[in-house]
Amino acid sequence: MPSARKSKLRAFVSKRLNPIAATCFGLGVILGITGLYLNQQDVLQANAEAARTYQSSPVLPPTTAPTESPDPTPEATPGLVAAESQALFIGDSFTEGFGTTTPSEEGFARVLSRARNWDAVVDGMGSTGFTSGSGMDDADGNEYRARIAEHADNADLDPAVVVLQGGLDDPSALSVPTINAISATVEAATAAWPHARIVVIGPVAPYPASETLLEGTAVTRTGATVADAEFIDPAPWFTPENSEGYDAGDGYHLTTDGHAFLAEKVNEALVSSGI
């Protein structure tokens, strides 16, 4: 069962944003989250579009005619992550496989890896997240960025894809620190494995809990998109029609069939994105 939402907001704003930018960005997040209750889909789309424009001013075109660039080589053209590639999954109890009959075999990360024939390292730990370390006051050091640092020390690990799944146990309201933590985590993964495709999967739950994930989804989407990671929102996949058979009994976790369904839908999203 996921831990209770942390009600106490971090008392600091990350140094990644200067005071003026943090204030402006925080106001934007607050307004965006408030708008979720007025028009959910429009606000989520606006978050993504706003994040994609978070970049430096465009460079003016050269005054002289540019030389023609050679056609890109196959190695320079992104494509589907090949079979037998290494894949690293870091996440919460969903990545762990909680709720299935055999978590070490039937969690969505392992089902997905078998379907793609990936050599997977699955690091799932309940009640953790981009900011949550699972201990008292999140002091256990199991948040995703710390676990990335541990895996980066493994010289035998060079993943072609890194999947960061979570957000259910992270603060969502008034969450500039959470957004900063998400983007910093993505950037840590990129720095550790520069050639890897980075994917963030937002909060997951069967219906009706999936209807309560709007704030957390908006925050996770914004942090991921600012850091240029692929974002997948699984909440809409769980509906009144299918969730009764996917609910593990606590209203939040998934059964073995639910994990198989999640793996199938995530794979479809990855293929659609060319991963």
Side-chain angles (χ1 to χ4, degrees):
M1 178 179 295
S3 64
R5 296 294 183 86
K6 313 298 186 294
S7 62
K8 182 178 180 181
L9 182 65
R10 301 275 190 265
F12 63 92
V13 174
S14 169
K15 293 182 180 179
R16 295 168 43 78
L17 296 177
N18 62 45
I20 296 176
T23 301
C24 295
F25 194 53
L27 289 173
V29 172
I30 296 169
L31 291 174
I33 292 174
T34 302
L36 288 169
Y37 297 100
L38 301 177
N39 193 325
Q40 299 170 359
Q41 296 302 320
D42 287 347
V43 172
L44 292 179
Q45 182 63 31
N47 282 336
E49 293 301 325
R52 289 190 181 96
T53 62
Y54 188 77
Q55 54 186 330
S56 57
S57 299
V59 179
L60 294 176
T63 55
T64 58
T67 58
E68 292 187 3
S69 300
D71 292 336
T73 62
E75 292 77 14
T77 303
L80 293 180
V81 175
E84 300 183 2
S85 296
Q86 287 187 325
L88 173 62
F89 292 80
I90 296 178
D92 56 23
S93 55
F94 289 87
T95 296
E96 186 180 21
F98 185 88
T100 66
T101 304
T102 310
S104 62
E105 296 293 331
E106 297 171 337
F108 91 92
R110 299 181 189 279
V111 175
L112 172 60
S113 297
R114 286 196 298 271
R116 296 294 294 269
N117 195 22
W118 288 342
D119 178 14
V121 173
V122 179
D123 179 0
M125 188 178 302
S127 300
T128 62
F130 294 94
T131 63
S132 175
S134 81
M136 185 67 66
D137 297 325
D138 304 325
D140 278 3
N142 291 319
E143 65 274 11
Y144 298 171
R145 190 175 180 184
R147 285 147 68 185
I148 286 172
E150 293 177 359
H151 287 292
D153 289 334
N154 181 358
D156 295 326
L157 180 62
D158 186 20
V161 58
V162 177
V163 178
L164 306 171
Q165 173 273 316
L168 196 63
D169 295 294
D170 293 306
S172 57
L174 306 177
S175 50
V176 169
T178 303
I179 291 173
N180 282 335
I182 294 167
S183 59
T185 300
V186 171
E187 290 172 0
T190 300
W193 304 288
H195 303 295
R197 309 287 293 274
I198 312 298
V199 179
V200 175
I201 300 177
V204 185
Y207 183 89
S210 59
E211 294 284 282
T212 70
L213 302 180
L214 294 171
E215 291 184 7
T217 295
V219 167
T220 309
R221 181 195 298 272
T222 302
T225 310
V226 164
D228 202 26
E230 188 71 28
F231 178 77
I232 296 174
D233 177 11
W237 300 336
F238 295 91
T239 67
E241 291 73 28
N242 66 20
S243 288
E244 183 177 356
Y246 295 153
D247 186 344
D250 61 3
Y252 281 93
H253 290 100
L254 301 175
T255 62
T256 297
D257 288 343
H259 275 266
F261 173 73
L262 178 60
E264 177 185 355
K265 300 299 287 185
V266 168
N267 190 42
E268 290 176 1
L270 293 176
V271 171
S272 178
S273 299
I275 297 175

